[in-house]
Amino acid sequence: MAKRVLFLPHNLRRTYFLNLLRQFKAAADWDIGVVAPVDSRRDYDGIVDSDESYFRSPDFARREGWESEFGERERISNLIGECERLTGISSGRVLLAGERDIGRGYSEEFYHWPPNKLAKFAKKNNEFPAKALERMFWFADDALKRFGPDLILSGATAMPLHFVFSLVAERKGIPLVANRLSKVHSRRIYWTMDRAMFNTRTRDRYAEKAESRAPVSQTSREYIDRFREEPKTVHYIAENWRKASQAKWAAVQWNFVLLALRRLDYFVRKRKKGVPPKEVLPRVMGFYRERYLTFRQERMFRKYEPEQLTAFKYIYCPLHKEPELAVNFQAPHCHNQKELIAYLSKTLPHGIKLLVREHRFNLGRRPTAYYKTLLGYPGVELIHPFDLQFKYIRNANLIVTDNGSTGWEGVVFGRPVITLAQTFYDPPGLMACVRAPEELNTEILRLLSAPHEIDPEEYDRRIGWFLDAERETTSPEDEDHFEESLQIIETLVSGGSFANIHSESSVNVKG
């Protein structure tokens, strides 16, 4: 009997997933359904057998017919409550994950983002997000009932609608497996059932290696030496930076034209059941505002040469791009990065600077007042987002990050690191994991005075075990390894367990 599989798309890796689904359908005889916008139907020709298996995302700003039925409204309210109790995740987390639209109130002061219909409604009435959320739960529940999947596949569950699908699926006992890119080894992917989308197989494999004191591979030893000599950003992040830097003015304007045509087509055809294409004018205005703010705010950032960084002591804290699933989905308590910098400023020891490096994708998108506020905090200096980051990591007296990859890079360099949330590089236990804010000050003082506690050979061995474990639990990001992916998916599903987001409290210093 064919397995029924529902797919939740990931636009940034669209081509990869389309090819993968075609191979899965042919090799495993999958009956595939898709949840996607109205105008993406043609992308799934040959993958989705009929329109009944294509679930078009509706306009969640519009009132639905079921809302006039008291019994149905009560049922959806009960459904949301059941999902919350079962998963331990409040529905407000979905709103935060949707800070671009239904949760716009959470991000309004932090960065500019083009308005959309949901955001406008949410800003006008703070009771509207709850209504939109109910519509999402109704849609997810209805789609899962009608399609009846044995399995859900996703590229990410951090988008609000996908987040809702994951919660409803867990209540119904439907396994969900996500495919993610490794942040350690370039061009490699992993499959996971972890709700926070971390590679739990790496964690388990690391534990096996540590217990058996397995030898570290030569490949991993060379990785450590090479990174310390000539560090590089993992491929997919570097590729995103490259594409952004090479975007041409004419190409951007042409995309505005295409968006205007899609929007015109939507209204001419009166596709009232689907989500309308994005508004054009706000994006044009945003494009030029970004250029203006980039020019105006340039003087607020500093750059240092490596030899200058050795002349004073500093704590290094890089900011995430915003919006970013690492904070609004995986570490919601760290969502307000301005508040984090304020708190770190309040815990600075005498004679220590706090160097805050902006993310390059935030440049030109924040209000100038945001940076003025940060520069008003004692001891804070802003580092230019396009200044090379590795010199700041290599020379830092301490690195503090919520869950960013800078912490991993700091670990490889042998720098003291504090993390404030679960990270992909938790297994080696080579950083201080602080969960209680009141204990952060003590840890900062401790690590600045006594940063090295582990024997260097043991330190590198742990890094090597982690690198080996990550390599052994990931696959090359290409369609040639789809059989391996199928096997991994079957193994994960047969295990039948849902891994929760860790909720460690207080300070956890391993090793």
Side-chain angles (χ1 to χ4, degrees), residues 30 40 85 100 128 147 195 206 253 336 362 447 504:
W30 280 5
S40 297
R85 289 189 293 272
R100 296 175 177 87
F128 167 77
F147 189 68
R195 196 186 289 131
Y206 178 90
Q253 309 312 306
N336 189 333
N362 293 334
L447 288 173
E504 301 153 292

Side-chain angles (χ1 to χ4, degrees), residues 249-486:
W249 181 88
V252 173
Q253 309 312 306
W254 177 242
N255 284 334
F256 290 148
V257 173
L258 294 178
L259 178 59
L261 292 174
R262 287 199 298 273
R263 190 167 174 83
L264 177 63
D265 177 72
Y266 174 88
F267 288 107
V268 168
R269 294 174 184 262
K270 298 181 179 180
R271 297 174 178 172
K272 298 300 182 183
K273 291 186 178 181
V275 179
K278 300 170 182 176
E279 297 180 34
V280 183
L281 184 58
R283 277 157 180 78
V284 174
M285 294 173 60
F287 175 81
Y288 288 101
R289 179 181 58 216
E290 184 177 318
R291 266 79 191 145
Y292 167 72
L293 289 178
T294 298
F295 171 76
R296 182 183 178 189
Q297 296 167 354
E298 182 76 18
R299 60 184 176 79
M300 307 179 83
F301 299 100
R302 298 198 61 172
K303 295 180 180 180
Y304 284 101
E305 295 301 322
E307 57 272 15
Q308 293 177 298
L309 293 172
T310 62
F312 59 90
K313 293 183 177 181
Y314 65 92
I315 295 173
Y316 180 61
C317 181
L319 298 180
H320 276 291
K321 71 176 180 180
E322 295 192 51
E324 167 61 34
L325 71 83
V327 285
N328 64 23
F329 179 72
Q330 293 176 334
H333 59 290
C334 298
H335 175 259
N336 189 333
Q337 297 189 92
K338 184 165 71 171
E339 183 178 306
L340 171 60
I341 299 307
Y343 191 72
L344 287 175
S345 171
K346 298 168 191 175
T347 61
L348 279 179
H350 180 68
I352 305 290
K353 292 183 179 182
L354 177 59
L355 302 190
V356 178
R357 184 173 183 270
E358 177 61 290
H359 194 285
R360 63 178 64 196
F361 285 163
N362 293 334
L363 192 61
R365 294 177 55 240
R366 295 199 192 275
T368 301
Y370 183 95
Y371 294 128
K372 287 183 177 179
T373 300
L374 292 187
L375 290 173
Y377 299 147
V380 172
E381 292 186 6
L382 293 177
I383 300 302
H384 199 286
F386 282 89
D387 199 12
L388 297 177
Q389 76 268 32
F390 292 116
K391 60 185 175 183
Y392 295 100
I393 300 172
R394 193 192 298 269
N395 292 289
N397 298 92
L398 174 63
I399 295 167
V400 179
T401 178
D402 33 42
N403 57 4
S405 55
T406 294
W408 161 247
E409 294 160 349
V411 165
V412 180
F413 277 133
R415 309 313 301 157
V417 175
I418 292 177
T419 61
L420 307 176
Q422 183 187 7
T423 74
F424 68 86
Y425 48 93
D426 277 355
L430 296 174
M431 66 283 180
C433 307
V434 178
R435 300 296 183 264
E438 66 271 15
E439 294 174 335
L440 180 58
N441 198 171
T442 302
E443 281 302 290
I444 288 175
L445 291 170
R446 184 186 71 82
L447 288 173
L448 286 173
S449 61
H452 301 292
E453 294 182 345
I454 302 176
D455 174 74
E457 186 176 342
E458 173 67 12
Y459 190 97
D460 284 0
R461 186 181 295 114
R462 293 190 189 186
I463 295 176
W465 285 334
F466 176 68
L467 291 168
D468 284 340
E470 179 79 0
R471 187 178 296 105
E472 293 167 13
T473 58
T474 56
S475 308
E477 188 194 17
D478 58 57
E479 297 79 33
D480 293 339
H481 290 76
F482 77 95
E483 291 184 356
E484 181 180 346
S485 289
L486 272 176

Side-chain angles (χ1 to χ4, degrees), residues 209-273:
K209 290 180 178 296
E211 183 177 2
S212 65
R213 307 294 293 179
V216 175
S217 71
Q218 184 61 29
T219 301
S220 291
R221 292 185 183 278
E222 291 173 357
Y223 176 109
I224 297 170
D225 292 339
R226 184 171 59 251
F227 188 91
R228 288 171 177 169
E229 181 67 27
E230 190 177 353
K232 290 183 179 179
T233 302
V234 71
H235 176 264
Y236 83 90
I237 295 178
E239 186 66 9
N240 289 341
W241 293 352
R242 184 191 65 80
K243 289 178 180 178
S245 66
Q246 293 181 349
K248 303 297 184 183
W249 181 88
V252 173
Q253 309 312 306
W254 177 242
N255 284 334
F256 290 148
V257 173
L258 294 178
L259 178 59
L261 292 174
R262 287 199 298 273
R263 190 167 174 83
L264 177 63
D265 177 72
Y266 174 88
F267 288 107
V268 168
R269 294 174 184 262
K270 298 181 179 180
R271 297 174 178 172
K272 298 300 182 183
K273 291 186 178 181

Side-chain angles (χ1 to χ4, degrees), residues 51-254:
D51 281 347
E52 284 69 33
S53 298
Y54 190 87
F55 300 92
R56 294 164 174 81
S57 303
D59 182 356
F60 295 109
R62 294 174 60 87
R63 181 180 174 84
E64 298 289 342
W66 62 266
E67 295 180 62
S68 60
E69 304 173 19
F70 174 77
E72 191 66 359
R73 294 202 318 271
E74 186 177 28
R75 185 183 72 82
I76 292 302
S77 179
N78 291 335
L79 170 66
I80 295 174
E82 290 172 9
C83 290
E84 290 178 327
R85 289 189 293 272
L86 175 66
T87 63
I89 295 178
S90 299
S91 57
R93 287 281 304 278
V94 179
L95 301 181
L96 177 59
E99 62 179 287
R100 296 175 177 87
D101 37 65
I102 55 173
R104 181 62 65 93
Y106 294 124
S107 61
E108 193 69 10
E109 65 175 300
F110 302 143
Y111 57 87
H112 296 293
W113 192 265
N116 55 53
K117 192 174 182 180
L118 286 174
K120 290 176 182 177
F121 279 47
K123 288 173 61 178
K124 186 180 297 184
N125 178 6
N126 71 353
E127 294 183 357
F128 167 77
K131 290 292 184 185
L133 194 67
E134 290 173 355
R135 293 163 189 163
M136 289 185 181
F137 271 90
W138 188 94
F139 174 72
D141 182 60
D142 181 66
L144 292 176
K145 281 179 181 176
R146 286 195 285 145
F147 189 68
D150 305 299
L151 170 67
I152 298 176
L153 287 188
S154 178
T157 54
M159 292 80 82
L161 183 57
H162 293 189
F163 200 164
V164 168
F165 263 90
S166 72
L167 298 176
V168 178
E170 189 166 344
R171 174 188 173 271
K172 293 177 177 289
I174 303 170
L176 187 153
V177 183
N179 176 296
R180 302 291 295 166
L181 287 164
S182 171
K183 292 187 175 182
V184 179
H185 297 302
S186 293
R187 299 185 177 91
R188 295 184 72 85
I189 59 95
Y190 63 88
W191 296 91
T192 180
M193 290 180 68
D194 181 56
R195 196 186 289 131
M197 299 186 293
F198 288 108
N199 188 355
T200 55
R201 295 173 67 233
T202 289
R203 180 193 63 199
D204 297 339
R205 188 66 56 86
Y206 178 90
E208 294 170 1
K209 290 180 178 296
E211 183 177 2
S212 65
R213 307 294 293 179
V216 175
S217 71
Q218 184 61 29
T219 301
S220 291
R221 292 185 183 278
E222 291 173 357
Y223 176 109
I224 297 170
D225 292 339
R226 184 171 59 251
F227 188 91
R228 288 171 177 169
E229 181 67 27
E230 190 177 353
K232 290 183 179 179
T233 302
V234 71
H235 176 264
Y236 83 90
I237 295 178
E239 186 66 9
N240 289 341
W241 293 352
R242 184 191 65 80
K243 289 178 180 178
S245 66
Q246 293 181 349
K248 303 297 184 183
W249 181 88
V252 173
Q253 309 312 306
W254 177 242

